[in-house]
């Protein structure tokens, strides 16, 4: 059985802990010169953005309770959703958001931000885009999605920087 423990961000396949996509690509980034407190705050902010978007897509977001610092990012995401390059597709296609998936043959796992089945894999960032790292992350998410039964197609791999 496959499982994900959010508190520790741990994935297991058949009871065996496996690396996440983020762990696999972590050596490609060096944050050793960044203030550790700043890294923690940035990580928490990014996590909050992801939760906000998932709740919005699930139509369960309480916008009145939203941290004012998140409001501009929600507005930017809504603009992308309703007016961006996939706006017409999003009216008819199911959006898969923040669902842990597993690649049993290669023994890794991850949680893609947004998948439009047969169309695009979208990763949301609140930091500057890193072409190498982000491209590898998106390819790994695409392979996870295909392994999980996704439609075989020529997916667009998109980094959405908010």
């Amino acid at each position: 059985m496959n499982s994900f423990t959010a508190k520790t961000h741990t994935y297991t396949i058949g009871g065996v802990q496996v690396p996440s996509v983020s762990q696999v690509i972590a050596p490609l980034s060096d944050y050793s010169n960044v203030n550790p407190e700043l890294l923690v705050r940035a990580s928490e902010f990014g996590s909050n953005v992801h939760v906000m978007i998932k709740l919005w897509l699930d139509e369960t977001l309480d916008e009145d309770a939203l941290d004012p610092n998140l409001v501009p990012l929600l507005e930017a995401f809504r603009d992308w959703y309703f007016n961006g390059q996939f706006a017409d597709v999003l009216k008819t296609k199911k959006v898969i958001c923040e669902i842990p998936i597993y690649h049993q043959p290669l023994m890794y796992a991850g949680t893609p931000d947004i998948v439009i089945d047969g169309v695009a894999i979208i990763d949301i960032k609140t930091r500057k885009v890193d072409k190498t790292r982000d491209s590898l992350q998106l390819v790994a998410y695409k392979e996870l999605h295909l392994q999980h039964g996704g439609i075989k197609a020529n997916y667009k791999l998109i980094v959405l920087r908010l």
Side-chain angles (χ1 to χ4, degrees), residues 50 53 76-77 80-81 84-87 89-90 96 111-116 118-131 133-142 154-162:
H50 284 252
I53 288 170
F77 180 77
W80 172 84
Y81 188 89
Q85 71 188 83
F86 301 111
V89 172
L90 288 168
I96 303 163
T111 304
D113 296 347
I114 296 175
V115 176
I116 307 169
V119 179
I121 311 288
I122 297 123
D123 198 57
I124 298 165
K125 299 293 183 196
T126 57
R127 60 157 170 78
K128 183 179 174 188
V129 174
D130 177 327
K131 288 183 182 181
R133 181 183 164 125
D134 297 340
S135 296
L136 290 171
Q137 185 175 23
L138 285 162
V139 168
Y141 285 157
K142 176 186 165 193
N154 186 20
Y155 284 80
K156 301 281 186 196
L157 303 177
I158 307 290
V159 176
L160 178 59
R161 182 173 183 228
L162 299 177

Side-chain angles (χ1 to χ4, degrees), residues 32-45:
S32 62
N33 292 325
V34 179
N35 179 326
E37 291 177 16
L38 179 62
L39 283 175
V40 169
R41 285 196 313 268
S43 176
E44 288 173 355
F45 184 75

